[in-house]
């Protein structure tokens, strides 16, 4: 496969490869060279400048700390009120002032991080007061000598770089001495001593550098004021510091930055002068050049390697991209070859693909023609779903667009519907049977479609398969309502004539409401179909307009209630023929006085409800009797009066009467009435249903059904009711005990009490007490 593919590569592949190489590799190489040549020096200069700025800021920060320290010293030295207070103050007696003085020392210490502690030495009192030592007497002669020596110096404010603290002979501290009183060189009676924090000073200087660099501080005498940090086994840092100090002290540089070679390394050295409190300090920072330029060197190498790698990747990608660019042409050619089940001798792929594409375009046009021919069927299906209300989620614009796709431009159009119902199928004397309804509806739908297509372009006919059909019209918006009605009336008249002549059937046509919105048409069609119920049953062919026929005044119709009761009585008695005769008369009454189909249907629905309740009272299983049929829904589907009467007889009354096991003639009620009176007389006897069935020579089940049918209650319930009434009578009119009454009524006492309470809500005893108290109250009154 790969060999075949390689051999098939032509000039197009190699042109693509060269073009991709020019686009990818050359720009990458050019950009890499520019970055390496111009970026390295620029980045190095910027890094050095940033490093120097950082050093200057750090030196300035340390200078700010010393300025703050200088301000604190001067304020303390020239505070005259403090001098007078110390000269005459008894430190022990005036302890509160001594305590305030110690708090002042603490505040001075906290105000500057370089201050370790503050102390006050008073020669005459031989006392040392400080925030670190507290209130302490000088006990050691050596300590006293050291402190007195501080007062003998000729300067009022000066530095002491090796002052030891009392009781610490080995310590050496850097301190500022302020002689009292301030401003006098001789006759001092004491001095303020401000000790510096060596660790803080070291940290402040050492943070000027990082890595292998060094930073230190020395005074005008060449004394180191900082100690170097521990650097492991690196012993060369002190030698480097001495060399740098010597060069700075011996030579006078105009610039505060220079390069210094030491031990095969080049250092960039920055230093600055700080003059504070009569002393001059020099801050020095030395950082190896390799450390500063390390990021630049790394970045330069990275740029170089990225350029090389980018160039290599560009070459690979160029080859890969060329194959990818050629792959669609190769696949397309192979696709055409596969569809032809063979290979072509054509060497130029583009010409071959062009020829094949033309052939496919011709096939596509043929397919488009077939699709266009199928559009009418698709449109019929879509309109049917829409008019049946299944597309209620669509907006009007969506419906218009969909109809346009189906070759119907319904934008800025008007819409109307017409519904037709065929009648008189049963009057043709058996020419048409019920099963022929769908065939008749199909023929009627074809007739209306043929009539409408002659005059209108956009018409859709709906076959409802139940002797009714609907027509959906799309009309030009320039037509007025009167013009549209004239066209539809002419179509309806022609349709009536055609149906009468061809199918020999009567027809009712309803004209729906005209609308400018296609969204309203499903509801308009539904309302128009419902309007068929308002047809006049006495008129053969009718044309109704929804905008007019419901506005016509109608008189109040009389409902034949007497006939309804007679029908119920005939059904109760099992008289099928009589019931059917009365139903026909009932239908005739409903049809009188120009009643519409809707009014007739409503009356028959009420009769169905009454008969339904009557059948339920006979304890008949309706689901079994009518095989699960929904009677009301089935009746709603019938519109012809003769068919409705036949339905009542064949589907409702006949199945019910057939289930009755006893023919309820006129003597049955008389027999049941006599039995009821006999039961009332025999209520105190031990009576049973079997006893009376044997007496009447009937089975117990037949007697039970007949009794319930005539009197509407079961035999057992009737007997219990009579015995409860007899029990109530005996409770009020006699003094018989409950047990005696139960025995008289042939019940167990507990059973009597239970059924009595269930019937009356109270026990027999409570009933007797209630009525006895009531009689006594009436007597006393």
């Amino acid at each position: 496969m790969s060999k075949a593919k390689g051999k098939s590569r032509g000039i197009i592949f190699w042109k693509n490869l060269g073009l991709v190489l020019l686009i990818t590799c050359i720009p990458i190489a050019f950009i890499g060279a520019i970055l390496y040549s111009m970026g390295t020096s620029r980045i190095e200069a910027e890094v050095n400048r940033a490093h120097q700025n950082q050093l200057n800021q750090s030196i300035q920060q340390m200078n700010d700390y010393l300025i703050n320290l200088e301000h604190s010293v001067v304020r303390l030295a020239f505070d005259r009120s403090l001098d007078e207070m110390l000269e005459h103050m008894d430190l022990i007696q005036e302890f509160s002032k001594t305590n305030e003085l110690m708090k002042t020392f603490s505040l001075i210490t906290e105000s500057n991080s370089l201050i370790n502690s503050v102390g006050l030495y008073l020669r005459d009192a031989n006392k040392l007061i400080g925030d670190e030592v507290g209130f302490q007497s000088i006990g050691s002669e050596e300590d006293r000598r050291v402190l007195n020596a501080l007062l003998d110096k000729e300067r009022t404010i000066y530095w002491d770089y090796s002052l030891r603290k009392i009781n610490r002979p080995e310590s050496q501290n850097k301190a500022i001495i302020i002689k009292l009183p301030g401003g006098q060189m001789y006759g001092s009676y004491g001095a303020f001593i401000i000790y510096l924090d060596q660790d803080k000073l070291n940290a402040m200087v050492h943070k000027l550098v990082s890595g292998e660099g060094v930073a230190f501080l020395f005074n005008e005498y060449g004394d180191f004021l900082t100690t170097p940090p521990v650097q492991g086994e690196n012993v060369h840092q002190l030698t480097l510091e001495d060399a740098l100090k010597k060069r700075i002290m011996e030579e006078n540089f105009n610039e505060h930055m220079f390069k210094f070679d030491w031990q095969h390394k080049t250092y960039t050295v920055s230093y600055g002068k700080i003059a504070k409190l009569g002393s001059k300090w020099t801050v020095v920072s030395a950082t190896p050049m390799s450390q500063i330029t390390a990021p630049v060197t790394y970045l330069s190498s990275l740029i170089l390697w990225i350029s090389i790698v980018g160039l290599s990747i560009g070459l690979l990608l160029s080859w890969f991209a060329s194959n990818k660019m050629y792959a669609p042409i190769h696949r397309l050619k192979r696709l055409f070859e596969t569809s032809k089940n063979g290979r072509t001798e054509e060497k130029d792929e583009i010409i071959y693909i062009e020829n094949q594409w033309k052939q496919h375009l011709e096939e596509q046009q043929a397919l488009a023609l077939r699709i266009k021919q199928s559009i009418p069927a698709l449109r019929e299906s879509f309109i049917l779903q829409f008019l049946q209300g299944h597309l209620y989620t669509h907006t009007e614009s969506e419906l218009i667009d969909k109809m346009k796709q189906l070759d119907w431009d319904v934008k800025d159009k008007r819409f109307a519907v017409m519904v037709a119902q065929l009648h008189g199928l049963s009057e043709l004397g058996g020419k048409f049977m019920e099963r022929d309804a769908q065939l008749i509806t199909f023929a009627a739908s074809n007739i209306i479609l043929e009539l409408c297509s002659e005059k209108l372009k956009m018409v859709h006919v709906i076959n409802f398969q139940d002797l009714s059909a609907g027509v959906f019209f799309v009309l030009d918006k320039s037509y007025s309502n009167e013009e549209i009605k004239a066209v539809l009336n002419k179509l309806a008249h022609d349709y009536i004539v055609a149906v009468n002549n061809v199918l020999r059937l009567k027809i009712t046509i309803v004209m729906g409401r005209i609308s400018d919105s296609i969204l309203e048409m499903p509801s308009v069609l539904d309302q128009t179909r419902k309007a068929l119920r308002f047809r006049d049953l006495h008129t053969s062919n009718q044309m109704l307009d929804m905008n007019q026929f419901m506005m016509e005044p109608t008189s109040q119709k009389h409902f034949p209630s007497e006939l309804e009761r007679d029908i119920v009585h005939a059904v109760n008695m099992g008289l099928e023929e009589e019931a059917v005769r009365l139903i026909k008369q009932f239908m005739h009454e409903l049809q009188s006085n120009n009643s519409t189909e809707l009014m007739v249907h409503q009356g028959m629905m009420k009769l169905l409800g009454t008969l339904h309740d009557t059948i339920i009272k006979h304890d008949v299983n309706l689901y079994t009797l009518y095989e699960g049929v929904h009677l009301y829904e089935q009746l709603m589907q019938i519109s012809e009066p003769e068919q409705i009467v036949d339905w009542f007889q064949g589907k409702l009354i006949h199945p019910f009467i057939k289930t009755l096991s006893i023919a309820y003639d006129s003597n049955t009620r008389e027999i049941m009435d006599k039995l009821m009176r006999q039961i009332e007389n025999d209520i105190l006897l031990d009576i049973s249903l079997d006893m009376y069935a044997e007496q009447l020579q009937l089975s117990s089940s037949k007697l039970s059904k007949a009794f319930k049918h005539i009197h509407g209650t079961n035999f057992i319930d009737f007997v219990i009711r009579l015995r409860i009434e007899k029990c109530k009578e005996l409770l009020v009119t006699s003094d018989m005990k409950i047990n005696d009454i139960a025995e008289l009524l042939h019940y167990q006492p507990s059973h009597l009490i239970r059924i009595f309470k269930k019937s009356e809500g109270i026990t027999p005893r409570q009933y007797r007490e209630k009525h006895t108290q009531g009689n006594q109250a009436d007597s006393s009154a």
Side-chain angles (χ1 to χ4, degrees):
M1 177 67 71
S2 60
K3 291 182 179 181
K5 183 175 180 180
K7 290 180 180 179
S8 64
R9 291 172 181 166
I11 192 171
I12 295 178
F13 172 78
W14 298 111
K15 284 184 177 180
N16 289 339
L17 179 59
L19 180 62
V20 174
L21 283 173
L22 290 174
I23 293 174
T24 57
C25 299
I26 294 179
I28 291 176
F30 183 70
I31 292 172
I34 292 177
L35 287 177
Y36 186 76
S37 61
M38 299 181 60
T40 303
S41 58
R42 181 67 179 272
I43 294 173
E44 183 177 350
E46 292 297 329
V47 170
N48 283 327
R49 187 180 298 108
H51 178 69
Q52 184 62 35
N53 291 336
Q54 181 181 3
L55 291 176
N56 293 337
Q57 291 176 1
S58 300
I59 293 173
Q60 182 62 38
Q61 182 180 8
M62 189 170 66
N63 189 48
D64 292 341
Y65 276 103
L66 293 176
I67 290 174
N68 179 268
L69 177 62
E70 185 179 47
H71 290 169
S72 299
V73 169
V74 172
R75 185 168 58 253
L76 189 62
F78 294 98
D79 189 345
R80 304 303 302 175
S81 62
L82 189 60
D83 290 345
E84 295 174 359
M85 177 187 71
L86 294 176
E87 186 176 4
H88 303 287
M89 185 177 68
D90 188 340
L91 298 177
I92 298 176
Q93 295 298 327
E94 301 180 29
F95 179 75
S96 60
K97 294 182 179 181
T98 303
N99 189 36
E100 291 293 330
L101 187 62
M102 294 176 67
K103 290 182 179 180
T104 301
F105 294 163
S106 297
L107 292 175
I108 294 174
T109 301
E110 295 174 357
S111 66
N112 195 309
S113 61
L114 286 177
I115 299 176
N116 178 264
S117 63
V118 179
L120 171 64
Y121 172 66
L122 298 176
R123 187 204 305 261
D124 295 337
N126 195 30
K127 303 292 182 183
L128 181 63
I129 305 171
D131 58 343
E132 182 179 24
V133 300
F135 184 80
Q136 187 174 1
S137 299
I138 308 302
S140 171
E141 186 62 31
E142 180 64 21
D143 291 338
R144 188 180 301 111
R145 185 186 63 78
V146 170
L147 294 174
N148 288 333
L150 299 176
L151 304 178
D152 295 336
K153 297 290 180 74
E154 295 181 355
R155 299 173 62 184
T156 58
I157 301 175
Y158 61 92
W159 285 93
D160 190 323
Y161 296 108
S162 60
L163 178 64
R164 70 180 183 84
K165 294 184 179 180
I166 62 173
N167 300 325
R168 293 183 183 178
E170 74 284 354
S171 63
Q172 290 186 354
N173 301 277
K174 297 174 180 61
I176 301 174
I177 311 302
I178 307 169
K179 295 169 58 176
L180 296 175
Q184 296 184 11
M185 297 176 56
Y186 304 101
S188 297
Y189 60 86
F192 286 109
I193 305 172
I194 300 178
Y195 296 95
L196 296 187
D197 191 331
Q198 185 64 48
D199 293 336
K200 294 291 182 61
L201 183 61
N202 291 341
M204 187 176 296
V205 174
H206 291 158
K207 75 177 182 179
L208 297 178
V209 293
S210 61
E212 298 179 0
V214 296
F216 57 93
L217 180 68
F218 65 91
N219 59 16
E220 65 272 25
Y221 306 112
D223 299 327
F224 286 107
L225 302 181
T226 58
T227 57
V230 178
Q231 297 293 333
E233 297 181 357
N234 189 356
V235 298
H236 301 291
Q237 287 189 4
L238 293 177
T239 304
L240 175 61
E241 292 173 348
D242 291 336
L244 290 173
K245 181 184 70 172
K246 181 179 179 181
R247 182 169 179 179
I248 292 172
M249 294 182 67
E250 290 177 354
E251 300 182 16
N252 186 14
F253 294 100
N254 294 327
E255 297 291 337
H256 288 275
M257 184 176 70
F258 61 90
K259 291 183 180 180
F260 186 73
D261 294 328
W262 178 259
Q263 300 254 334
H264 307 294
K265 289 184 179 181
T266 301
Y267 292 82
T268 177
V269 182
S270 299
Y271 69 94
K273 302 288 186 177
I274 301 176
K276 293 291 181 291
L277 298 173
S279 183
K280 295 181 179 179
W281 293 357
T282 302
V283 183
V284 183
S285 171
T287 305
M289 288 293 296
S290 59
Q291 180 176 328
I292 297 176
T293 60
V296 179
T297 304
Y298 172 76
L299 185 59
S300 300
S301 301
L302 182 62
I303 292 173
L304 181 60
W305 280 107
I306 288 176
S307 299
I308 295 173
V309 173
L311 185 60
S312 301
I313 294 175
L315 293 172
L316 293 175
L317 290 179
S318 297
W319 179 264
F320 179 75
S322 298
N323 282 285
K324 286 294 182 182
M325 293 172 63
Y326 183 74
I329 299 175
H330 181 73
R331 287 200 304 269
L332 190 58
K333 181 182 177 183
R334 291 290 303 276
L335 181 63
F336 285 128
E337 291 174 348
T338 304
S339 63
K340 292 179 63 177
N341 296 322
R343 300 198 54 162
T344 179
E345 298 299 328
E346 178 62 55
K347 300 300 182 180
D348 193 330
E349 297 95 333
I350 301 300
I351 296 176
Y352 172 73
I353 292 173
E354 181 181 0
N355 294 333
Q356 293 298 316
W357 191 258
K358 289 180 180 178
Q359 181 179 348
H360 279 272
L361 284 177
E362 293 175 357
E363 295 176 356
Q364 183 181 5
Q365 292 173 356
L367 178 61
L369 180 61
R370 290 197 296 271
I371 292 175
K372 187 175 182 179
Q373 292 173 349
S374 65
I375 283 180
L378 296 175
R379 183 174 59 242
E380 296 291 318
S381 176
F382 178 79
I383 296 176
L384 180 61
Q385 292 186 52
F386 164 64
L387 294 177
Q388 289 179 345
H390 300 318
L391 305 180
Y392 58 89
T393 58
H394 287 52
T395 63
E396 185 162 2
S397 59
E398 290 175 343
L399 291 172
I400 292 174
D401 293 341
K402 185 64 177 179
M403 296 288 281
K404 189 173 183 179
Q405 295 175 7
L406 298 173
D407 286 348
W408 266 25
D409 186 5
V410 298
K411 188 175 182 181
D412 297 328
K413 300 291 184 180
R414 307 195 74 187
F415 309 94
V417 293
M418 182 174 72
V419 177
Q421 177 73 55
L422 303 178
H423 307 286
L425 188 63
S426 60
E427 299 176 0
L428 297 179
K431 182 178 180 181
F432 293 107
M433 305 299 293
E434 290 289 340
R435 60 178 176 270
D436 297 328
Q438 293 184 356
L439 183 60
I440 295 172
T441 309
F442 177 75
S445 300
N446 288 338
I447 293 173
I448 187 63
L449 178 60
E450 184 176 354
L451 291 174
C452 294
S453 300
E454 295 175 357
K455 298 182 179 180
L456 300 172
K457 293 182 179 180
M458 290 184 281
V459 178
H460 174 73
V461 176
I462 308 171
N463 184 351
F464 293 115
Q465 306 291 334
D466 59 352
L467 295 178
S468 66
V471 187
F472 173 58
F473 300 97
V474 180
L475 306 165
D476 194 82
K477 199 165 188 178
S478 60
Y479 290 172
S480 64
N481 286 354
E482 289 72 17
E483 292 174 335
I484 294 175
K485 288 181 180 180
V487 173
L488 297 184
N489 286 334
K490 180 64 170 60
L491 283 173
H493 181 268
D494 295 343
Y495 187 42
I496 291 174
V497 173
V499 169
N500 292 161
N501 294 334
V502 177
L503 301 178
R504 306 297 181 182
L505 293 174
K506 298 180 292 185
I507 186 170
T508 298
I509 296 178
V510 180
M511 301 294 180
R513 181 167 54 87
I514 301 170
S515 175
D516 293 330
S517 173
I518 192 173
L519 273 180
E520 298 179 355
M521 298 320 295
S523 61
V524 171
L525 177 63
D526 183 62
Q527 294 171 5
T528 307
R529 292 193 68 189
K530 292 178 180 178
L532 288 170
R533 296 287 186 179
F534 290 87
R535 71 183 180 94
D536 187 357
L537 296 177
H538 300 282
T539 304
S540 298
N541 299 305
Q542 300 176 62
M543 290 178 56
L544 305 176
D545 189 340
M546 279 193 61
N547 298 318
Q548 297 178 359
F549 75 93
M550 294 189 66
M551 303 300 295
E552 297 177 358
T554 57
S555 59
Q556 185 69 25
K557 305 301 180 182
H558 172 70
F559 183 77
S561 302
E562 294 294 333
L563 281 174
E564 181 186 40
R565 286 192 292 269
D566 292 343
I567 293 171
V568 171
H569 179 72
V571 172
N572 274 328
M573 298 302 297
L575 304 176
E576 181 178 350
E577 295 182 358
E578 178 65 15
V580 172
R581 185 188 66 80
L582 292 173
I583 289 175
K584 291 180 179 178
Q585 187 177 350
F586 184 85
M587 172 66 77
H588 181 72
E589 289 289 334
L590 291 176
Q591 290 179 292
S592 62
N593 299 324
N594 297 324
S595 295
T596 64
E597 179 184 322
L598 176 63
M599 297 176 183
V600 173
H601 225 280
Q602 288 176 343
M604 299 308 293
M605 291 292 285
K606 185 178 182 304
L607 176 61
L608 173 59
T610 304
L611 292 177
H612 188 271
D613 294 340
T614 301
I615 295 172
I616 290 176
K617 292 180 180 179
H618 286 271
D619 286 341
V620 176
N621 189 329
L622 295 178
Y623 185 85
T624 303
L625 177 62
Y626 297 111
E627 300 178 349
V629 174
H630 194 300
L631 298 176
Y632 292 92
E633 183 177 343
Q634 197 173 71
L635 179 59
M636 281 294 298
Q637 304 302 321
I638 307 173
S639 59
E640 296 295 330
E642 296 80 3
Q643 294 177 347
I644 293 176
V645 174
D646 293 341
W647 182 86
F648 265 88
Q649 179 181 6
K651 300 295 184 180
L652 182 69
I653 297 175
H654 180 72
F656 168 66
I657 294 179
K658 187 178 179 180
T659 60
L660 297 180
S661 58
I662 299 178
Y664 299 118
D665 52 17
S666 58
N667 295 327
T668 302
R669 181 174 296 277
E670 182 178 354
I671 292 172
M672 292 300 104
D673 290 341
K674 289 181 179 180
L675 177 59
M676 181 180 291
R677 290 192 294 270
Q678 183 178 355
I679 294 172
E680 291 175 351
N681 295 330
D682 299 341
I683 193 62
L684 296 179
L685 301 177
D686 187 10
I687 58 178
S688 65
L689 181 65
D690 295 338
M691 180 184 73
Y692 292 115
E694 183 179 356
Q695 177 181 331
L696 296 174
Q697 298 181 350
L698 295 173
S699 65
S700 300
S701 60
K702 289 185 178 181
L703 178 59
S704 176
K705 291 181 180 179
F707 189 91
K708 183 177 181 180
H709 174 70
I710 299 300
H711 298 297
T713 183
N714 293 326
F715 173 83
I716 297 301
D717 294 338
F718 180 71
V719 172
I720 291 175
R721 183 70 257 170
L722 290 179
R723 287 180 174 174
I724 292 296
E725 293 298 326
K726 189 64 177 180
C727 179
K728 289 162 61 177
E729 178 185 349
L730 295 175
L731 287 172
V732 176
T733 60
S734 69
D735 295 331
M736 293 178 65
K737 297 181 178 179
I738 301 300
N739 292 347
D740 296 337
I741 296 176
E743 183 179 357
L744 181 63
L745 296 176
H746 303 281
Y747 284 138
Q748 292 293 330
S750 59
H751 182 64
L752 176 62
I753 294 173
R754 185 167 60 254
I755 63 175
F756 189 94
K757 185 175 183 181
K758 182 178 180 181
S759 174
E760 304 299 326
I762 56 177
T763 63
R765 184 183 301 278
Q766 293 172 339
Y767 183 85
R768 171 175 279 175
E769 292 175 355
K770 178 180 177 181
H771 287 78
T772 301
Q773 293 174 358
N775 293 336
Q776 291 176 357
D778 293 340
S779 300
S780 60

